[in-house]
Amino acid sequence: MKRPKTKKIISIFFILAMAGAVFTACSKDDDPADAKANVKFTITVNGADSNDQVDFL
């Protein structure tokens, strides 16, 4: 008879932990307004010369 009660307690704990993780990760309090991300991409195109045009959307 103790197994269903234990499963219920574990399920409730798991749901509360997941909800806490989502709300903590999604808060905007710790993100500064002027935050910038520097990203550099290197792309190699085979069969193209310097006059070809490449567009990225």
Side-chain angles (χ1 to χ4, degrees):
M1 281 292 190
K2 290 186 178 182
R3 287 214 181 246
K5 187 175 182 180
T6 304
K7 282 186 177 182
K8 186 175 182 178
I9 291 171
I10 291 172
S11 298
I12 291 172
F13 176 74
F14 181 72
I15 290 170
L16 290 175
M18 291 300 293
V22 168
F23 287 121
T24 302
C26 294
S27 69
K28 292 186 178 181
D29 296 337
D30 57 348
D31 296 336
D34 60 345
K36 295 180 181 177
N38 294 327
V39 179
K40 180 179 179 181
F41 290 100
T42 302
I43 300 172
T44 304
V45 179
N46 293 328
D49 61 9
S50 61
N51 294 327
D52 290 338
Q53 178 180 350
V54 178
D55 296 323
F56 297 101
L57 302 175

